[in-house]
Coordinates of all heavy atoms in Angstrom, one line a residue:
M13 N 6.4 12.7 -28.2 CA 6.1 11.4 -27.5 C 6.9 11.1 -26.3 O 8.1 11.4 -26.4 CB 6.2 10.2 -28.5 CG 5.6 9.0 -28.0 SD 6.3 7.4 -28.7 CE 7.6 7.2 -27.8
K14 N 6.3 10.6 -25.2 CA 7.1 10.5 -24.1 C 7.8 9.1 -24.2 O 7.6 8.3 -25.1 CB 6.2 10.4 -22.8 CG 5.0 9.2 -22.7 CD 4.4 9.3 -21.6 CE 3.3 8.0 -21.6 NZ 2.7 7.9 -20.3
Q15 N 8.8 8.9 -23.2 CA 9.5 7.6 -23.3 C 8.5 6.5 -22.7 O 7.7 6.7 -21.9 CB 10.7 7.8 -22.2 CG 11.8 8.7 -22.5 CD 12.7 8.0 -23.5 OE1 12.9 6.8 -23.6 NE2 13.5 8.8 -24.3
I16 N 8.9 5.2 -23.3 CA 8.0 4.0 -22.9 C 9.2 3.3 -22.4 O 10.0 2.7 -23.0 CB 7.3 3.5 -24.1 CG1 6.3 4.4 -24.7 CG2 6.7 2.2 -23.6 CD1 5.6 3.9 -25.9
H17 N 9.1 2.9 -21.1 CA 9.9 1.9 -20.5 C 9.2 0.6 -20.0 O 8.2 0.7 -19.3 CB 10.6 2.6 -19.2 CG 11.7 1.7 -18.6 ND1 12.9 1.5 -19.2 CD2 11.5 0.9 -17.5 CE1 13.6 0.6 -18.5 NE2 12.8 0.2 -17.5
I18 N 9.7 -0.4 -20.6 CA 9.1 -1.7 -20.3 C 10.0 -2.7 -19.5 O 11.1 -2.9 -20.0 CB 8.7 -2.4 -21.7 CG1 7.9 -1.4 -22.5 CG2 8.0 -3.8 -21.4 CD1 8.0 -1.6 -24.1
D19 N 9.6 -3.1 -18.3 CA 10.3 -4.1 -17.6 C 9.5 -5.4 -17.7 O 8.2 -5.4 -17.4 CB 10.3 -3.7 -16.0 CG 11.3 -2.6 -15.9 OD1 12.3 -2.4 -16.6 OD2 11.0 -1.7 -14.9
I20 N 10.2 -6.5 -17.9 CA 9.6 -7.8 -18.0 C 10.2 -8.6 -17.0 O 11.5 -8.8 -17.0 CB 9.7 -8.4 -19.5 CG1 9.0 -7.4 -20.5 CG2 9.1 -9.8 -19.6 CD1 9.2 -7.9 -21.9
C21 N 9.5 -9.0 -16.0 CA 9.9 -9.9 -14.9 C 10.4 -11.3 -15.6 O 9.6 -11.8 -16.3 CB 8.8 -10.2 -13.9 SG 9.5 -11.1 -12.5
C22 N 11.7 -11.6 -15.3 CA 12.1 -12.9 -15.8 C 12.6 -13.9 -14.7 O 13.5 -14.7 -14.9 CB 13.3 -12.6 -16.6 SG 12.9 -11.8 -18.2
G23 N 11.8 -13.7 -13.5 CA 12.1 -14.7 -12.5 C 11.5 -16.1 -12.9 O 10.9 -16.3 -14.0
A24 N 11.6 -17.0 -12.1 CA 11.5 -18.4 -12.5 C 9.9 -18.6 -12.9 O 9.7 -19.1 -13.9 CB 11.7 -19.4 -11.2
R25 N 9.0 -18.3 -12.1 CA 7.6 -18.4 -12.4 C 7.1 -17.6 -13.5 O 6.5 -18.3 -14.5 CB 6.7 -18.0 -11.2 CG 5.2 -18.2 -11.4 CD 4.3 -17.9 -10.2 NE 4.7 -18.9 -9.2 CZ 4.3 -18.8 -8.0 NH1 3.4 -17.8 -7.6 NH2 4.6 -19.7 -7.0
C26 N 7.5 -16.4 -13.8 CA 7.2 -15.6 -15.0 C 7.8 -16.3 -16.2 O 7.3 -16.3 -17.2 CB 7.7 -14.2 -14.8 SG 6.7 -13.2 -13.7
S27 N 9.1 -16.8 -16.0 CA 9.7 -17.3 -17.2 C 8.9 -18.6 -17.6 O 8.8 -18.9 -18.9 CB 11.1 -17.7 -16.9 OG 12.0 -16.5 -16.8
M28 N 8.5 -19.5 -16.6 CA 7.8 -20.6 -17.0 C 6.4 -20.3 -17.6 O 5.8 -21.0 -18.4 CB 7.6 -21.5 -15.7 CG 8.8 -22.1 -15.3 SD 8.6 -23.4 -13.9 CE 7.5 -22.6 -12.7
M29 N 5.9 -19.1 -17.2 CA 4.6 -18.7 -17.7 C 4.7 -17.9 -19.1 O 3.7 -17.3 -19.5 CB 3.8 -17.9 -16.6 CG 3.6 -18.8 -15.5 SD 2.7 -20.2 -15.9 CE 1.0 -19.7 -16.2
G30 N 5.9 -17.8 -19.6 CA 6.0 -17.1 -21.0 C 6.7 -15.7 -21.0 O 6.7 -15.2 -22.1
A31 N 7.4 -15.4 -20.0 CA 8.0 -14.1 -19.9 C 9.1 -14.0 -21.1 O 9.3 -12.9 -21.7 CB 8.6 -13.8 -18.6
L32 N 9.8 -15.0 -21.3 CA 10.8 -15.0 -22.5 C 10.3 -14.8 -23.7 O 10.8 -14.1 -24.6 CB 11.8 -16.2 -22.3 CG 12.5 -16.3 -21.0 CD1 13.3 -17.7 -20.9 CD2 13.3 -15.1 -20.5
H33 N 9.2 -15.5 -24.0 CA 8.4 -15.3 -25.2 C 7.9 -13.8 -25.3 O 8.0 -13.2 -26.3 CB 7.2 -16.3 -25.3 CG 6.3 -16.1 -26.4 ND1 6.6 -16.4 -27.8 CD2 5.1 -15.4 -26.5 CE1 5.6 -16.1 -28.5 NE2 4.7 -15.5 -27.9
L34 N 7.4 -13.3 -24.3 CA 6.9 -11.9 -24.3 C 8.2 -10.9 -24.5 O 8.0 -9.9 -25.3 CB 6.4 -11.5 -22.9 CG 4.9 -11.8 -22.7 CD1 4.6 -11.5 -21.2 CD2 4.1 -11.0 -23.6
L35 N 9.3 -11.2 -23.9 CA 10.4 -10.4 -24.1 C 10.8 -10.4 -25.6 O 11.1 -9.3 -26.2 CB 11.7 -11.0 -23.3 CG 13.0 -10.1 -23.4 CD1 12.9 -8.7 -22.9 CD2 14.1 -10.9 -22.6
E36 N 10.9 -11.5 -26.3 CA 11.1 -11.6 -27.7 C 10.0 -10.8 -28.6 O 10.5 -10.1 -29.4 CB 11.2 -13.2 -28.1 CG 11.5 -13.3 -29.5 CD 11.5 -14.8 -29.8 OE1 12.1 -15.6 -29.0 OE2 10.8 -15.2 -30.8
K37 N 8.9 -11.0 -28.3 CA 7.8 -10.3 -29.0 C 7.9 -8.8 -28.8 O 7.6 -7.9 -29.8 CB 6.4 -10.8 -28.7 CG 6.2 -12.2 -29.0 CD 5.9 -12.3 -30.6 CE 5.6 -13.6 -30.9 NZ 5.6 -13.8 -32.4
V38 N 8.1 -8.3 -27.6 CA 8.2 -6.9 -27.4 C 9.4 -6.3 -28.0 O 9.4 -5.2 -28.6 CB 8.2 -6.6 -25.8 CG1 8.5 -5.2 -25.4 CG2 6.8 -7.0 -25.2
E39 N 10.6 -7.0 -28.0 CA 11.8 -6.6 -28.6 C 11.6 -6.5 -30.2 O 11.9 -5.4 -30.9 CB 13.0 -7.5 -28.4 CG 13.6 -7.3 -27.0 CD 14.4 -6.2 -27.0 OE1 14.7 -5.3 -27.9 OE2 14.9 -5.8 -25.8
D40 N 10.8 -7.4 -30.8 CA 10.5 -7.4 -32.2 C 9.5 -6.2 -32.4 O 9.8 -5.5 -33.4 CB 9.8 -8.7 -32.6 CG 10.6 -9.8 -32.6 OD1 12.0 -9.7 -32.7 OD2 10.1 -11.0 -32.8
L41 N 8.6 -5.9 -31.7 CA 7.6 -4.8 -31.9 C 8.5 -3.4 -31.7 O 8.2 -2.6 -32.5 CB 6.6 -4.9 -30.7 CG 5.6 -3.6 -30.9 CD1 4.8 -3.6 -32.3 CD2 4.5 -3.7 -29.8
K42 N 9.4 -3.4 -30.7 CA 10.1 -2.2 -30.6 C 11.0 -1.8 -31.8 O 11.0 -0.8 -32.3 CB 11.1 -2.3 -29.3 CG 12.1 -1.2 -29.2 CD 13.1 -1.6 -28.0 CE 14.1 -0.6 -28.0 NZ 15.3 -0.9 -28.6
N43 N 11.6 -2.9 -32.4 CA 12.4 -2.7 -33.5 C 11.6 -2.4 -34.7 O 12.0 -1.6 -35.5 CB 13.2 -4.0 -33.9 CG 14.2 -4.3 -32.8 OD1 14.8 -3.5 -32.2 ND2 14.5 -5.6 -32.7
E44 N 10.4 -3.0 -34.9 CA 9.6 -2.5 -36.1 C 9.1 -1.1 -35.9 O 9.1 -0.3 -36.8 CB 8.3 -3.4 -36.0 CG 8.7 -4.9 -36.6 CD 7.4 -5.7 -36.7 OE1 6.3 -5.1 -37.0 OE2 7.5 -7.0 -36.5
I45 N 8.8 -0.8 -34.7 CA 8.4 0.8 -34.5 C 9.4 1.7 -34.8 O 9.3 2.7 -35.4 CB 7.8 0.9 -33.1 CG1 6.4 0.1 -32.8 CG2 7.6 2.4 -32.6 CD1 5.9 0.1 -31.4
E46 N 10.6 1.4 -34.3 CA 11.8 2.2 -34.5 C 12.3 2.3 -35.9 O 12.8 3.3 -36.3 CB 12.9 1.9 -33.6 CG 12.6 2.3 -32.1 CD 13.7 1.9 -31.0 OE1 14.6 1.1 -31.5 OE2 13.6 2.4 -30.0
E47 N 12.0 1.2 -36.6 CA 12.3 1.2 -38.0 C 11.4 2.3 -38.8 O 11.9 2.8 -39.8 CB 12.2 -0.1 -38.7 CG 13.3 -1.0 -38.4 CD 13.2 -2.4 -39.1 OE1 12.2 -2.6 -39.8 OE2 13.9 -3.3 -38.5
L48 N 10.2 2.4 -38.4 CA 9.3 3.4 -38.9 C 9.5 4.7 -38.2 O 8.7 5.2 -37.5 CB 7.8 2.9 -38.7 CG 7.4 1.6 -39.4 CD1 6.1 1.1 -39.0 CD2 7.6 1.7 -40.9
D49 N 10.7 5.4 -38.2 CA 11.2 6.4 -37.6 C 10.1 7.5 -37.4 O 10.1 8.4 -36.4 CB 12.4 7.0 -38.0 CG 13.2 7.8 -37.0 OD1 13.0 7.6 -35.9 OD2 13.9 8.8 -37.5
S50 N 9.1 7.7 -38.3 CA 8.2 8.7 -38.3 C 7.2 8.5 -37.1 O 6.5 9.4 -36.6 CB 7.3 8.7 -39.6 OG 6.6 7.4 -39.9
I51 N 7.1 7.3 -36.6 CA 6.1 7.0 -35.4 C 6.8 7.4 -34.1 O 6.2 8.2 -33.4 CB 5.7 5.5 -35.4 CG1 5.0 5.2 -36.6 CG2 4.9 5.3 -34.1 CD1 4.6 3.7 -36.6
V52 N 8.0 6.9 -33.9 CA 8.7 7.3 -32.7 C 10.2 7.5 -32.9 O 10.7 6.7 -33.7 CB 8.5 6.2 -31.5 CG1 7.0 6.1 -31.1 CG2 9.1 4.9 -31.9
P53 N 10.8 8.4 -32.2 CA 12.2 8.6 -32.3 C 13.0 7.3 -31.8 O 12.5 6.7 -30.9 CB 12.6 9.8 -31.6 CG 11.4 10.1 -30.8 CD 10.3 9.3 -31.2
Q54 N 14.1 7.2 -32.4 CA 15.1 6.0 -31.8 C 15.3 6.3 -30.3 O 15.5 7.3 -29.9 CB 16.4 6.0 -32.5 CG 16.3 5.5 -34.0 CD 16.4 4.0 -34.1 OE1 16.3 3.3 -33.1 NE2 16.4 3.5 -35.3
G55 N 15.3 5.2 -29.7 CA 15.6 5.2 -28.2 C 14.6 5.6 -27.3 O 14.7 5.7 -26.0
S56 N 13.3 5.9 -27.8 CA 12.1 6.3 -26.9 C 11.5 5.2 -26.3 O 10.7 5.3 -25.4 CB 11.3 7.1 -27.7 OG 10.7 6.5 -28.8
I57 N 11.9 3.8 -26.7 CA 11.2 2.7 -26.1 C 12.4 2.0 -25.6 O 13.3 1.7 -26.3 CB 10.5 1.8 -27.0 CG1 9.2 2.6 -27.7 CG2 10.0 0.5 -26.5 CD1 8.6 1.9 -28.8
T58 N 12.4 1.6 -24.3 CA 13.4 0.8 -23.7 C 12.8 -0.6 -23.1 O 11.7 -0.5 -22.6 CB 14.2 1.4 -22.6 OG1 13.3 1.9 -21.6 CG2 15.0 2.7 -23.1
V59 N 13.4 -1.6 -23.4 CA 12.9 -3.0 -22.9 C 13.9 -3.6 -22.0 O 15.0 -3.7 -22.4 CB 12.6 -3.9 -24.0 CG1 12.0 -5.2 -23.5 CG2 11.6 -3.3 -25.1
S60 N 13.6 -4.0 -20.8 CA 14.6 -4.5 -19.8 C 14.1 -5.7 -19.2 O 12.9 -5.8 -18.6 CB 14.8 -3.5 -18.8 OG 15.3 -2.3 -19.2
P61 N 14.7 -6.9 -19.3 CA 14.5 -8.0 -18.6 C 14.9 -7.7 -17.1 O 15.9 -7.2 -17.0 CB 15.2 -9.1 -19.2 CG 16.3 -8.5 -19.9 CD 15.9 -7.1 -20.2
V62 N 14.0 -8.0 -16.1 CA 14.4 -7.7 -14.7 C 14.3 -9.0 -13.9 O 13.5 -9.9 -14.3 CB 13.6 -6.5 -14.1 CG1 13.7 -5.3 -14.8 CG2 12.0 -6.9 -14.2
P63 N 15.1 -9.0 -12.9 CA 15.0 -10.2 -12.0 C 13.5 -10.2 -11.3 O 12.9 -9.3 -11.3 CB 16.1 -10.0 -10.9 CG 16.7 -8.6 -11.2 CD 16.1 -8.1 -12.4
C64 N 13.3 -11.3 -10.7 CA 12.0 -11.5 -10.0 C 11.5 -10.3 -9.2 O 12.3 -9.7 -8.4 CB 12.0 -12.7 -9.1 SG 10.5 -13.0 -8.3
T65 N 10.3 -9.7 -9.5 CA 9.8 -8.6 -8.8 C 9.1 -9.0 -7.5 O 8.7 -8.1 -6.8 CB 8.8 -8.0 -9.7 OG1 7.7 -8.8 -9.9 CG2 9.5 -7.5 -10.9
Q66 N 8.9 -10.3 -7.2 CA 8.2 -10.8 -6.0 C 6.8 -10.4 -6.0 O 6.1 -10.7 -5.0 CB 8.9 -10.2 -4.8 CG 10.3 -10.7 -4.6 CD 10.5 -12.2 -4.4 OE1 9.9 -12.6 -3.5 NE2 11.5 -12.7 -5.0
E67 N 6.2 -10.0 -7.1 CA 4.8 -9.6 -7.2 C 3.9 -10.8 -7.1 O 2.8 -10.6 -6.5 CB 4.5 -8.9 -8.5 CG 5.2 -7.5 -8.6 CD 4.4 -6.5 -7.8 OE1 3.2 -6.5 -7.6 OE2 5.1 -5.5 -7.3
C68 N 4.3 -11.9 -7.5 CA 3.4 -13.1 -7.5 C 3.7 -14.1 -6.3 O 2.9 -15.0 -6.3 CB 3.5 -13.8 -8.8 SG 5.1 -14.5 -9.1
K69 N 4.5 -13.7 -5.6 CA 4.9 -14.6 -4.4 C 3.7 -14.8 -3.6 O 3.0 -13.9 -3.2 CB 6.0 -13.9 -3.5 CG 6.6 -14.8 -2.5 CD 7.8 -14.3 -1.9 CE 8.4 -15.3 -1.0 NZ 9.6 -14.7 -0.4
G70 N 3.2 -16.1 -3.4 CA 2.2 -16.4 -2.7 C 0.8 -16.3 -3.2 O -0.2 -16.5 -2.6
K71 N 0.9 -15.9 -4.5 CA -0.3 -15.6 -5.2 C -0.4 -16.4 -6.5 O 0.6 -16.7 -7.2 CB -0.6 -14.2 -5.5 CG -0.5 -13.2 -4.4 CD -0.5 -11.8 -4.8 CE -0.3 -11.0 -3.4 NZ 0.5 -9.7 -3.8
E72 N -1.6 -16.8 -7.0 CA -1.7 -17.5 -8.2 C -2.2 -16.6 -9.3 O -2.9 -15.6 -9.1 CB -2.6 -18.7 -8.0 CG -2.1 -19.7 -7.1 CD -2.9 -21.0 -7.0 OE1 -3.6 -21.2 -8.1 OE2 -2.9 -21.5 -5.9
N73 N -1.9 -17.1 -10.6 CA -2.4 -16.4 -11.8 C -1.9 -14.9 -12.0 O -2.6 -14.2 -12.5 CB -3.9 -16.6 -11.9 CG -4.4 -18.0 -11.9 OD1 -3.7 -18.9 -12.4 ND2 -5.5 -18.2 -11.2
L74 N -0.8 -14.7 -11.5 CA -0.3 -13.3 -11.7 C 0.8 -13.3 -12.8 O 1.1 -12.2 -13.4 CB 0.3 -12.6 -10.6 CG -0.8 -12.3 -9.4 CD1 -0.2 -11.7 -8.3 CD2 -1.9 -11.5 -10.0
A75 N 1.6 -14.3 -12.9 CA 2.7 -14.3 -13.8 C 2.2 -14.7 -15.2 O 1.1 -15.3 -15.4 CB 3.7 -15.4 -13.3
P76 N 2.9 -14.2 -16.2 CA 4.0 -13.2 -16.3 C 3.7 -11.7 -15.9 O 2.5 -11.5 -16.2 CB 4.6 -13.3 -17.6 CG 3.5 -13.8 -18.5 CD 2.7 -14.5 -17.6
I77 N 4.6 -11.0 -15.4 CA 4.2 -9.7 -15.0 C 5.1 -8.7 -15.8 O 6.3 -9.0 -16.0 CB 4.6 -9.4 -13.6 CG1 3.6 -10.4 -12.6 CG2 4.4 -8.0 -13.2 CD1 4.1 -10.4 -11.2
V78 N 4.5 -7.7 -16.4 CA 5.1 -6.7 -17.2 C 4.8 -5.4 -16.6 O 3.7 -5.1 -16.3 CB 4.8 -6.7 -18.7 CG1 5.4 -5.6 -19.6 CG2 5.1 -8.1 -19.3
I79 N 5.8 -4.5 -16.5 CA 5.6 -3.2 -16.0 C 6.0 -2.2 -17.1 O 7.1 -2.1 -17.6 CB 6.4 -2.9 -14.8 CG1 6.1 -4.1 -13.7 CG2 6.1 -1.5 -14.2 CD1 7.1 -4.0 -12.7
I80 N 4.9 -1.4 -17.5 CA 5.1 -0.3 -18.6 C 4.9 1.1 -18.1 O 3.8 1.4 -17.5 CB 4.1 -0.5 -19.8 CG1 4.3 -2.0 -20.3 CG2 4.3 0.5 -20.8 CD1 3.4 -2.3 -21.6
N81 N 6.0 1.8 -18.0 CA 6.0 3.1 -17.3 C 5.3 3.1 -15.9 O 4.4 3.9 -15.6 CB 5.3 4.1 -18.2 CG 6.1 4.5 -19.4 OD1 7.3 4.2 -19.5 ND2 5.5 5.1 -20.4
G82 N 5.6 2.1 -15.2 CA 5.1 2.0 -13.8 C 3.8 1.3 -13.7 O 3.4 0.8 -12.5
E83 N 3.1 1.0 -14.7 CA 1.8 0.4 -14.7 C 2.0 -1.2 -14.8 O 2.6 -1.5 -15.8 CB 0.9 0.8 -15.8 CG -0.6 0.2 -15.7 CD -1.4 0.8 -16.9 OE1 -1.3 1.9 -17.3 OE2 -2.3 0.0 -17.3
K84 N 1.5 -1.9 -13.8 CA 1.7 -3.3 -13.8 C 0.7 -4.1 -14.6 O -0.5 -3.8 -14.5 CB 1.8 -3.9 -12.4 CG 3.0 -3.2 -11.6 CD 2.9 -3.6 -10.1 CE 4.1 -2.9 -9.5 NZ 3.9 -2.9 -8.0
I85 N 1.1 -5.0 -15.4 CA 0.1 -5.9 -16.2 C 0.4 -7.3 -15.7 O 1.5 -7.8 -15.8 CB 0.4 -5.8 -17.6 CG1 0.3 -4.4 -18.2 CG2 -0.6 -6.8 -18.4 CD1 0.7 -4.2 -19.7
Y86 N -0.6 -7.8 -15.0 CA -0.5 -9.2 -14.4 C -1.1 -10.1 -15.4 O -1.9 -9.8 -16.2 CB -1.3 -9.3 -13.2 CG -0.8 -8.4 -12.1 CD1 -1.4 -7.2 -11.7 CD2 0.4 -8.6 -11.4 CE1 -1.0 -6.4 -10.7 CE2 0.9 -7.9 -10.4 CZ 0.3 -6.7 -10.0 OH 0.7 -6.0 -9.0
N87 N -0.5 -11.4 -15.4 CA -1.0 -12.4 -16.4 C -0.9 -11.8 -17.8 O -1.8 -12.0 -18.6 CB -2.4 -12.8 -16.0 CG -2.7 -14.1 -16.7 OD1 -1.9 -15.0 -17.1 ND2 -4.0 -14.4 -16.9
A88 N 0.3 -11.2 -18.1 CA 0.6 -10.5 -19.3 C 0.5 -11.4 -20.5 O 1.1 -12.5 -20.4 CB 1.8 -9.8 -19.3
S89 N -0.1 -11.0 -21.5 CA 0.0 -11.8 -22.7 C 0.5 -10.8 -23.9 O 0.6 -9.5 -23.7 CB -1.4 -12.2 -23.3 OG -2.4 -11.0 -23.4
A90 N 1.0 -11.4 -24.9 CA 1.6 -10.5 -26.0 C 0.5 -9.4 -26.5 O 0.8 -8.3 -26.6 CB 2.1 -11.4 -27.1
P91 N -0.7 -9.8 -26.8 CA -1.7 -8.9 -27.3 C -1.9 -7.7 -26.2 O -2.0 -6.6 -26.7 CB -2.9 -9.6 -27.5 CG -2.4 -11.1 -27.7 CD -1.3 -11.2 -26.9
K92 N -2.0 -8.1 -25.0 CA -2.2 -7.1 -23.9 C -1.0 -6.1 -23.9 O -1.2 -4.9 -23.8 CB -2.3 -7.7 -22.5 CG -3.6 -8.1 -22.1 CD -3.6 -8.5 -20.6 CE -4.2 -9.7 -20.2 NZ -4.2 -10.1 -18.9
V93 N 0.1 -6.6 -23.9 CA 1.4 -5.9 -23.8 C 1.6 -5.0 -25.0 O 1.8 -3.8 -24.9 CB 2.6 -6.6 -23.5 CG1 3.9 -5.8 -23.5 CG2 2.4 -7.3 -22.1
M94 N 1.4 -5.5 -26.2 CA 1.5 -4.8 -27.4 C 0.5 -3.6 -27.6 O 0.9 -2.6 -28.0 CB 1.4 -5.7 -28.6 CG 2.7 -6.6 -28.7 SD 2.7 -7.6 -30.0 CE 4.2 -8.6 -29.8
E95 N -0.8 -4.0 -27.2 CA -1.7 -2.9 -27.2 C -1.4 -1.8 -26.3 O -1.5 -0.5 -26.8 CB -3.1 -3.5 -26.7 CG -4.2 -2.5 -26.6 CD -5.6 -3.2 -26.2 OE1 -5.7 -4.3 -26.2 OE2 -6.5 -2.3 -25.8
K96 N -0.7 -2.0 -25.1 CA -0.4 -1.0 -24.2 C 0.7 -0.2 -24.8 O 0.8 1.1 -24.7 CB -0.1 -1.6 -22.9 CG 0.0 -0.7 -21.7 CD -1.3 0.1 -21.6 CE -1.8 0.1 -20.2 NZ -3.0 0.9 -20.1
I97 N 1.7 -0.9 -25.4 CA 2.8 -0.1 -26.0 C 2.3 0.7 -27.1 O 2.8 2.0 -27.3 CB 3.8 -1.2 -26.6 CG1 4.4 -1.9 -25.4 CG2 5.0 -0.4 -27.4 CD1 5.3 -3.1 -25.8
M98 N 1.4 0.3 -28.0 CA 0.9 1.1 -29.2 C 0.1 2.4 -28.6 O 0.2 3.3 -29.2 CB 0.0 0.2 -30.1 CG 0.9 -0.8 -30.8 SD 2.3 -0.2 -31.7 CE 1.6 0.8 -32.9
E99 N -0.6 2.0 -27.5 CA -1.3 3.3 -27.0 C -0.3 4.4 -26.6 O -0.6 5.6 -26.7 CB -2.1 2.8 -25.7 CG -3.4 2.1 -26.0 CD -4.1 1.5 -24.7 OE1 -3.6 2.0 -23.6 OE2 -4.9 0.7 -24.8
G100 N 0.8 4.0 -26.0 CA 1.9 4.9 -25.6 C 2.5 5.6 -26.7 O 3.2 6.7 -26.5
T101 N 2.5 5.0 -28.0 CA 3.1 5.7 -29.1 C 2.3 6.8 -29.7 O 2.8 7.5 -30.6 CB 3.5 4.6 -30.2 OG1 2.3 4.1 -30.6 CG2 4.4 3.6 -29.7
K102 N 1.0 6.9 -29.2 CA 0.1 7.9 -29.9 C 0.4 9.3 -29.3 O 0.7 9.5 -28.2 CB -1.3 7.4 -29.8 CG -1.6 6.3 -30.5 CD -3.1 5.7 -30.3 CE -3.2 4.5 -30.9 NZ -4.6 3.9 -30.7

């Protein structure tokens, strides 16, 4: 399985739109997956809160923004992000 790197924008707008909740949910999912060591090896999923990416500047309805292995998810929700992470574990 390849590495899964998840960046969660924690700028002001993304934070107001739920980025901190997403960060918590993604960390919980990462921990659950890693506890089942048979699915993915320890350390193969990294989660990073990042400063504002400026992706939503001047645009509406893009926040919160999550980037998984370079793929941007706009208006990210926990189900969307978790689905993408689970796809990457296969």
Side-chain angles (χ1 to χ4, degrees):
M13 190 199 88
K14 66 178 184 174
Q15 292 279 339
I16 299 174
H17 185 74
I18 305 154
D19 288 331
I20 299 177
C21 179
C22 289
R25 184 175 294 171
C26 286
S27 291
M28 288 189 316
M29 298 302 290
L32 300 179
H33 173 73
L34 277 174
L35 181 61
E36 184 180 307
K37 291 291 186 189
V38 170
E39 284 284 356
D40 288 347
L41 179 63
K42 172 189 177 260
N43 292 336
E44 285 183 35
I45 289 171
E46 288 182 343
E47 282 177 13
L48 302 171
D49 200 32
S50 61
I51 296 177
V52 296
Q54 288 279 5
S56 60
I57 300 174
T58 57
V59 182
S60 304
V62 296
C64 185
T65 62
Q66 300 291 314
E67 291 283 330
C68 64
K69 191 172 186 173
K71 301 171 188 151
E72 292 187 30
N73 301 323
L74 294 184
I77 298 169
V78 175
I79 304 166
I80 301 176
N81 290 343
E83 183 180 334
K84 296 172 185 163
I85 302 173
Y86 298 107
N87 195 22
S89 65
K92 274 193 224 177
V93 172
M94 291 181 181
E95 179 180 344
K96 197 57 129 172
I97 293 168
M98 293 308 294
E99 286 174 10
T101 63
K102 294 178 182 173

